[in-house]
């Protein structure tokens, strides 16, 4: 059922302010002004929130080619929006949800909804994988389960093309599930687990459970699958009289399916299935009661979360076979189960060979996932071409011509300059359609074709019938200084392509979670007053995390400023396409020309350095090379490190007064010595008072206001009255807390991982390592050698039990001295440890704060010590 834009006022309870010319059909829903792909038929819903307002970006979207808008606060004049359609509604989020609900109402097939505290995305992906041979499935992309993610997911449901829908629903507070239930209108459901996630949004566990179960208390709901071993869930489902299929591992009464598990030595789990004697015959008709004789299946997992998630899926398979008559031979069910694999729900960003940058998204390939991955590709600011290595697009339900016409439109809209297709379909059916992506198309409203023309980039296509033929022809030297998105369905094994193109790396990796970094950014941003700007520190390789990748994310998240320690760091960001204003904390006179060329703003902290900058400004004016960038004056109010002291203020004011034109001032700043320590709050307030006096005097001489910034991460939370014009967010962004409140709200961004190289079983009395410093013990022990040492940044102070690592969730202490490239740990209490296993050096469950305390240092040191030979992998959902 198509919906015209002119239908929206009646559907959404809104008012048509201006009709589009020409009339347009609603094709896609757009919420983020930074993620504009296809614009034809795209409707932008201007959502408003505590830290964002889509109405501020209407003009920018119009310039990008968007012509359809749903708003709650229209522009003062629609004259600048010629030909655009505008509908005004009271609440744009409610309108988005109402449109998705109307779209869902046109679908008559079964729809599965999955909710719970954990495992929703995994169960959704596995269930889709298991049922894909029998159904054309529409499912939520990634973990789109929120108040905006659900309507975007349901909008992709295509009556006449899809035969089954699978959607996640996640909530964090009361009242949310009713809105999601109205959109999804499930006919079937899975409840995964009831855990502690989002407890803060509910008065009790019972209230949270009731809110989640409201998803299934809908007209036309037919069946809920859940585990009866959760007593609260089991009781609540039974009390509500929901039609349900319960399974159990512990003979819970009322469960229809009983699973008995046995772990194997090969890392799998054998499942023995029995139909309970009391099983409701409504779900298992008499002709299928033979299932009471045990059936056996093998799951390709041994860890508890994976087994639990797989059992939900197995229960659905059994129900479909027995209740719906969709008979699968046991051998076919077993074949599908064994093909389940851990779901890499995150796109990973990695350094490639020859100046390339890789976006690894190789776990599935459908249209919705392709669109999201191309969004990530188009956000990369790095200069050079954009290459897409793409497998056949599976499970779309579209004919080849229609499918690859859509792929071509996505490729064109996201500025891809080279496409490498892999698979029989894309090599034959898709070749002609994909060639269309090489042609300009004004209707796309994209500036990418102009960007390509400016850089001399021409679109090219090459196809291969299989991954093997691509690998046989793959020469990394053919890829130079480009950003490469590798997007493939699991069966194509594109991890081999990633391995061929990425930089060589040993077993130690620093994994940087960009979603956690975004969470921490929002944690601080929501504490800012309206109008307060945000400068973010990306010095010291972004506290070890990777400067470009972090800076690129911050630019996408609309930070106002970046700060680096030295001009070379700023130049590197500019070389990689970062355009935000950048302040340099410690510039020397020999870098002033570099500051001018790369538009970097210096921090000036002494009269000597100010005289140097004035001389450089005069020389720049004389050689017509253009003015130097504006500067930031650093005031010393008590840190006693760098900055103009108050007694130097008269000389500073005199110099500024006599050279206003040559010394433009962008900002005035100071550094708080102890903003994180309540015992020094009086001193901090003295610093703030001194700063205000000095800054007022400087602005009086300048004759204009400058950006005043004093607060660091701890200060943002503890001294909101001193936010002034801008704040400087530093280590807090990276998940290092400055207090109990921060610890409860910040997420760790960096996880340092390494691998076990070898394990030895040592008899009693055996010493370990250099100098025999790993003292002998009176008992036998197992010692593992890990592929990390002090050359990787693992501090030697962690020697002899001061350091710990996590293996299989348990702590293993360091034995003996940390070596240059290796360290030994005691794994006697981790009997399942094997060579090749991954050890967490720091991250979730073993924080940098705890480890820093163990060796008498600070978390900053541990983060920044991770050497650049340790490869960074950036992950994002």
């Amino acid at each position: 059922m198509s919906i015209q834009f002119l239908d929206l006022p009646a559907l959404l309870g809104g008012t048509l302010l201006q009709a589009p010319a020409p009339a347009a059909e609603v094709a896609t829903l757009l919420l983020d002004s930074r993620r504009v792909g296809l614009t034809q038929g795209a409707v932008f819903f201007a959502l408003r929130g505590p830290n964002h307002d889509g109405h501020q970006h209407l003009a920018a979207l119009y310039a990008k080619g968007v012509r359809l808008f749903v708003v709650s606060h229209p522009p003062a004049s629609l004259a600048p929006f010629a030909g655009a359609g505008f509908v005004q509604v009271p609440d744009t989020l409610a309108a988005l949800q109402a449109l998705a609900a109307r779209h869902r109402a046109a679908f008559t097939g079964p729809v599965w909804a999955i909710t719970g505290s954990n495992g929703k995305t995994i169960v959704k992906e596995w269930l889709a994988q298991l049922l894909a041979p029998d159904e054309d499935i529409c499912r939520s992309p990634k973990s789109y389960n929120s108040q905006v993610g659900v309507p975007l997911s349901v909008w992709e449901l295509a009556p006449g093309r899809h035969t089954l829908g699978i959607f996640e629903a996640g909530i964090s507070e009361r009242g949310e599930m009713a809105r999601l239930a109205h959109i999804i209108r499930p006919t079937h459901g899975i409840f995964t687990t009831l855990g502690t996630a989002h407890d803060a949004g509910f008065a009790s566990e019972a209230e949270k459970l009731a809110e989640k179960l409201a998803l299934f208390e809908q007209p036309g709901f037919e069946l809920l699958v859940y585990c009866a071993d959760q007593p609260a869930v089991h009781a609540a489902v039974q009390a509500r009289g929901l039609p349900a299929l319960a399974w159990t591992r512990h003979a819970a009464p009322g469960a229809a399916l009983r699973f008995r598990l046995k772990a194997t030595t090969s890392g799998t789990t054998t499942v023995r299935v029995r139909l309970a004697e009391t099983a409701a015959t409504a779900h298992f008709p008499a002709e299928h009661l033979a299932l009471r004789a045990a059936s056996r299946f093998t799951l390709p997992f041994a860890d508890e979360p994976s087994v639990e998630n797989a059992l939900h899926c197995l229960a659905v398979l059994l129900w479909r076979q027995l209740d719906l008559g969709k008979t699968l031979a046991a051998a076919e069910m077993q074949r599908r189960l064994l093909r389940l694999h851990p779901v890499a729900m995150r796109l990973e960003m990695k350094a490639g060979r020859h100046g390339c940058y890789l976006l690894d998204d190789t776990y599935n390939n459908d249209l919705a996932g392709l669109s999201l991955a191309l969004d990530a590709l188009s956000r990369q600011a790095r200069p050079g071409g954009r290459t897409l290595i793409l497998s056949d697009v599976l499970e779309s339900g579209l004919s080849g011509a229609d499918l690859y016409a859509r792929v071509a439109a996505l490729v064109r809209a996201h500025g891809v300059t080279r496409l490498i297709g892999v698979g029989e379909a894309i090599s034959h059916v898709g070749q002609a359609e994909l060639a269309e992506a090489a042609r300009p198309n004004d209707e796309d409203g994209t500036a990418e074709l102009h960007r390509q023309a400016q850089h001399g980039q021409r679109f090219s296509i090459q196809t291969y019938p299989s991954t093997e033929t691509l690998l046989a022809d793959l020469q990394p030297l053919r890829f130079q200084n480009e950003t490469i998105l590798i997007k493939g369905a699991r069966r194509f094994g594109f991890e081999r392509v990633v391995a061929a193109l990425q930089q060589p790396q040993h077993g130690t990796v620093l994994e940087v979670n960009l979603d956690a970094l975004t969470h921490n950014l929002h944690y601080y941003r929501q504490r800012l007053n309206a109008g307060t700007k945000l400068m973010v520190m990306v010095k010291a390789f972004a506290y070890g995390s990777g400067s470009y990748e972090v800076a690129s994310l911050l630019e996408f998240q609309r930070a106002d400023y970046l700060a680096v320690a030295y001009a070379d760091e700023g130049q590197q960001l500019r070389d990689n396409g970062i355009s935000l204003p950048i302040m340099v904390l410690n510039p020397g006179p020999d870098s002033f020309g570099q500051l001018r060329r790369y538009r970097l703003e210096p921090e000036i902290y002494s009269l000597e350095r100010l005289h140097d900058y004035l001389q450089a400004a005069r020389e720049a004016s004389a050689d017509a090379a253009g003015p130097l960038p504006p500067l930031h004056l650093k005031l010393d109010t008590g840190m006693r490190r760098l900055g103009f002291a108050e007694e130097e203020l008269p000389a500073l004011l005199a110099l500024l007064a006599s050279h206003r034109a040559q010394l433009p001032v962008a900002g005035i700043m100071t550094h708080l010595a102890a903003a994180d320590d309540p015992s020094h709050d009086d001193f901090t307030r003295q610093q703030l008072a001194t700063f205000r006096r000095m800054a007022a005097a400087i602005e009086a001489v300048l004759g204009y206001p400058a950006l005043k910034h004093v607060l660091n991460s701890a200060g943002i939370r503890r001294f909101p009255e001193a936010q002034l014009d801008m704040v400087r967010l530093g280590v807090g962004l990276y998940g290092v807390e400055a207090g109990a409140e921060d610890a409860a709200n910040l997420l760790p961004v960096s996880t340092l991982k390494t691998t076990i190289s070898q394990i030895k079983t040592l008899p009693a009395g055996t010493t370990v390592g250099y100098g025999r410093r790993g003292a002998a013990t009176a008992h036998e022990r197992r010692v593992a050698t890990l592929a990390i040492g002090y050359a990787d940044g693992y501090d030697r102070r962690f020697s002899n039990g001061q350091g710990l690592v996590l293996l299989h969730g348990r702590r293993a202490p360091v034995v003996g001295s940390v070596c240059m490239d290796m360290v030994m740990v005691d794994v006697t209490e981790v009997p399942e440890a094997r060579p090749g296993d991954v050890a967490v050096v720091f991250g979730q469950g073993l924080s940098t704060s705890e480890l820093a305390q163990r060796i008498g240092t600070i978390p900053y040191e541990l983060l920044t010590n991770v050497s650049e030979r340790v490869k960074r992998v950036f992950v994002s959902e």
Side-chain angles (χ1 to χ4, degrees):
M1 179 192 72
S2 65
I3 297 176
Q4 300 297 312
F5 185 78
L6 294 177
D7 297 331
L8 294 186
L11 294 176
L12 307 181
T15 302
L16 180 66
L17 302 179
Q18 179 170 290
E25 180 181 324
V26 178
T28 57
L29 308 182
L30 182 62
L31 306 182
D32 193 333
S33 62
R34 300 162 300 183
R35 298 178 175 178
V36 179
L38 296 173
T39 58
Q40 188 172 9
V43 181
F44 177 72
F45 283 76
L47 303 184
R48 305 183 79 191
N51 300 300
H52 64 84
D53 185 352
H55 297 84
Q56 297 175 355
H57 309 292
L58 300 180
L61 285 158
Y62 183 82
K64 293 178 180 179
V66 178
R67 292 294 181 267
L68 306 176
F69 300 91
V70 175
V71 299
S72 58
H73 295 72
S77 172
L78 296 180
F81 299 91
F86 276 83
V87 169
Q88 183 178 9
V89 296
D91 183 331
T92 48
L93 175 58
L96 171 72
Q97 295 174 340
L99 181 60
R102 172 61 181 267
H103 181 73
R104 159 67 181 94
F107 183 75
T108 58
V111 170
W112 285 80
I114 303 171
T115 195
S117 298
N118 303 102
K120 295 184 293 293
T121 301
I122 300 291
V123 171
K124 176 205 66 187
E125 293 293 330
W126 283 353
L127 188 60
Q129 183 180 339
L130 291 167
L131 302 184
D134 310 317
E135 307 280 1
D136 289 322
I137 298 171
C138 177
R139 69 183 187 276
S140 309
K142 304 281 184 174
S143 54
Y144 272 36
N145 58 33
S146 67
Q147 296 293 305
V148 295
V150 167
L152 291 179
S153 301
V154 170
W155 181 257
E156 298 300 320
L157 190 61
R161 173 157 60 93
H162 293 121
T163 61
L164 181 72
I166 308 177
F167 302 109
E168 298 178 49
I171 56 171
S172 58
E173 59 185 43
R174 292 184 295 274
E176 289 186 333
M177 189 59 87
R179 296 192 289 272
L180 299 186
H182 180 63
I183 300 168
I184 301 174
R185 294 177 55 191
T187 57
H188 303 77
I190 298 174
F191 192 102
T192 57
T193 61
L194 181 66
T196 59
H198 304 299
D199 274 356
F202 303 92
S204 65
E205 180 185 80
E207 182 182 68
K208 182 170 70 171
L209 175 58
E211 179 80 10
K212 289 180 180 292
L213 288 177
L215 177 61
F216 310 116
E217 296 178 286
Q218 304 296 317
F221 184 74
E222 299 177 15
L223 182 75
L224 173 64
V225 174
Y226 71 99
C227 176
D229 298 327
Q230 304 174 86
V233 176
H234 192 34
V237 172
Q238 290 185 320
R240 285 164 174 75
L242 290 172
L245 170 64
W247 59 267
T248 179
R249 289 190 280 176
H250 306 296
L257 289 172
R258 294 185 177 179
F259 297 142
R260 295 183 63 184
L261 309 184
K262 181 178 181 182
T264 71
T265 57
S266 59
T268 63
T269 300
T270 299
V271 182
R272 186 182 180 191
V273 182
R274 277 191 181 274
L275 187 66
E277 293 294 331
T278 57
T281 57
H283 296 312
F284 299 104
E287 59 266 29
H288 296 299
L289 292 183
L291 188 65
R292 286 181 179 154
S295 299
R296 286 183 174 83
F297 298 96
T298 299
L299 303 178
F301 310 103
D303 63 290
E304 177 63 25
S306 295
V307 170
E308 177 95 359
N309 293 332
L311 290 177
H312 283 299
C313 297
L314 176 57
V316 174
L317 279 185
L318 292 169
W319 169 78
R320 279 172 59 91
Q321 178 182 6
L322 300 177
D323 188 37
L324 298 186
K326 302 211 175 196
T327 304
L328 287 177
E332 173 61 14
M333 292 178 66
Q334 180 62 81
R335 187 185 69 83
R336 294 186 189 183
L337 288 168
L338 288 176
R339 292 181 63 185
L340 293 178
H341 50 78
V343 176
M345 294 178 292
R346 307 172 299 182
L347 181 145
E348 297 185 349
M349 290 158 265
K350 307 171 180 179
R353 300 172 186 260
H354 310 301
C356 292
Y357 194 66
L358 309 182
L359 278 66
D360 177 1
D361 196 11
T362 56
Y363 81 96
N364 72 13
N365 191 23
D366 55 23
L367 278 175
L370 175 61
S371 181
L372 291 173
L374 285 169
D375 281 343
L377 176 65
S378 64
R379 292 201 305 270
Q380 301 302 312
R382 300 169 67 95
R386 293 175 181 166
T387 294
L388 169 62
I389 301 178
L390 179 70
S391 79
D392 285 346
V393 179
L394 306 178
E395 303 163 16
S396 72
L398 296 170
S399 68
D402 190 12
L403 169 63
Y404 288 102
R406 296 192 186 197
V407 171
L410 287 170
V411 165
R412 180 175 59 241
H414 289 86
V416 172
T417 54
R418 174 161 53 159
L419 173 63
I420 298 174
V422 179
E424 295 292 340
I426 206 169
S427 297
H428 298 103
V429 178
Q431 182 77 40
E433 287 77 10
L434 290 170
E436 289 294 314
R439 294 192 213 161
N441 187 334
D442 293 337
E443 291 181 355
D444 287 332
T446 177
E448 288 301 331
L449 295 163
H450 302 294
R451 183 185 74 85
Q452 295 171 24
Q454 279 184 333
H455 294 279
Q457 297 165 351
R458 299 184 61 187
F459 186 88
S460 64
I461 302 175
Q462 192 171 4
T463 60
Y464 296 88
S466 67
T467 306
E468 288 67 29
T469 55
L470 168 63
L471 290 169
D473 191 47
L474 193 64
Q475 298 180 29
L477 274 172
R478 293 180 183 172
F479 300 86
Q480 299 276 343
N481 301 311
E482 56 196 284
T483 305
I484 306 169
L485 169 62
I486 304 170
K487 180 69 176 168
R490 179 74 180 182
R491 75 184 196 195
F492 285 86
F494 270 15
E495 61 272 13
R496 294 172 290 168
V497 179
V498 174
L501 294 177
Q502 73 178 358
Q503 283 185 0
Q505 61 188 52
H506 63 73
T508 300
V509 170
L510 184 70
E511 184 180 279
V512 181
N513 188 324
L514 297 181
D515 295 327
L517 190 144
T518 299
H519 167 90
N520 296 343
L521 177 69
H522 292 330
Y523 169 74
Y524 285 102
R525 179 172 263 164
Q526 68 187 10
R527 282 159 174 71
L528 300 185
N529 301 323
T532 300
K533 295 181 181 294
L534 180 66
M535 175 185 285
V536 184
M537 316 303 286
V538 292
K539 62 181 181 176
F541 204 46
Y543 292 78
S545 298
S547 301
Y548 161 70
E549 292 80 6
V550 172
S552 179
L553 177 67
L554 292 170
E555 188 164 59
F556 177 71
Q557 294 291 343
R558 296 194 174 102
D560 299 289
Y561 259 87
L562 302 176
V564 297
Y566 298 102
D568 286 345
E569 294 176 310
Q571 177 181 338
Q572 184 180 36
L573 293 179
R574 291 285 186 246
D575 287 341
N576 281 289
I578 301 300
S579 59
L580 282 176
I582 298 174
M583 185 182 76
V584 179
L585 295 169
N586 196 17
D590 57 346
S591 70
F592 289 163
Q594 195 176 11
L595 299 182
R596 182 181 59 196
R597 288 192 300 275
Y598 292 97
R599 309 181 317 283
L600 308 174
E601 301 175 13
E603 171 193 299
I604 300 296
Y605 47 80
S606 68
L607 288 169
E608 178 185 15
R609 191 65 75 239
L610 188 59
H611 279 290
D612 291 338
Y613 203 65
L614 176 60
Q615 180 59 34
R618 289 169 175 156
E619 294 172 358
S621 176
D623 65 14
L628 289 180
L631 56 89
H632 295 252
L633 293 170
K634 176 72 168 285
L635 309 182
D636 184 1
T637 60
M639 183 75 172
R640 307 307 178 212
R641 189 172 64 179
L642 292 175
F644 294 94
E646 195 164 16
E647 56 266 26
E648 296 176 295
L649 191 57
L652 171 61
L653 296 178
L655 192 58
L656 292 174
S658 57
H659 298 93
R660 287 188 181 91
Q662 295 100 330
L663 296 175
V665 176
I668 306 171
M669 59 185 290
T670 193
H671 199 108
L672 301 180
D676 60 331
D677 191 341
S679 67
H680 296 296
D681 281 357
D682 288 343
F683 183 80
T684 298
R685 293 188 180 95
Q686 290 176 18
Q687 282 194 266
L688 294 172
T690 301
F691 177 81
R692 288 189 173 97
R693 287 196 307 271
M694 296 177 70
I698 292 170
E699 288 185 325
V701 167
L702 293 176
Y704 57 84
L707 288 172
K708 295 174 286 296
H709 46 108
V710 301
L711 295 185
N712 56 12
S713 299
I716 292 171
R717 181 175 56 81
R718 301 197 64 246
F719 296 93
E721 72 279 5
Q723 290 181 10
L724 306 179
D725 302 304
M726 185 160 66
V727 298
R728 300 189 303 271
L729 177 58
V731 74
L733 177 70
Y734 305 95
V736 177
E737 66 276 4
E741 182 180 345
D742 290 342
N745 289 281
L746 296 178
L747 298 178
V749 168
S750 298
T751 302
L752 183 60
K753 299 178 178 180
T754 189
T755 55
I756 297 178
S757 301
Q758 188 178 26
I759 296 178
K760 293 179 180 291
T761 299
L762 304 180
T766 305
T767 60
V768 176
Y770 284 120
R772 305 183 67 197
R773 296 185 189 96
T777 60
H779 55 80
E780 182 182 271
R781 56 181 168 169
R782 297 175 76 231
V783 174
T785 300
L786 307 182
I788 189 172
Y790 58 77
D792 302 295
Y794 192 61
D795 202 298
R796 289 192 77 247
R797 287 173 288 181
F798 284 128
S799 299
N800 288 314
Q802 293 302 306
L804 302 166
V805 301
L806 282 180
L807 274 161
H808 295 280
R810 291 193 289 281
R811 296 183 169 206
V814 171
V815 178
S817 297
V818 175
C819 309
M820 179 180 287
D821 307 299
M822 289 169 280
V823 67
M824 288 72 74
V825 297
D826 189 332
V827 295
T828 306
E829 301 302 319
V830 193
E832 64 268 46
R834 298 288 184 272
D837 285 356
V838 173
V840 174
V841 180
F842 61 69
Q844 191 74 44
L846 192 59
S847 71
T848 53
S849 297
E850 178 188 349
L851 291 170
Q853 284 184 336
R854 294 179 70 91
I855 60 172
T857 185
I858 57 177
Y860 300 38
E861 183 178 358
L862 300 187
L863 291 171
T864 58
N865 276 356
V866 179
S867 74
E868 292 198 33
R869 88 171 187 177
V870 174
K871 301 306 176 186
R872 272 69 174 171
V873 175
F874 300 87
V875 299
S876 177
E877 284 198 3

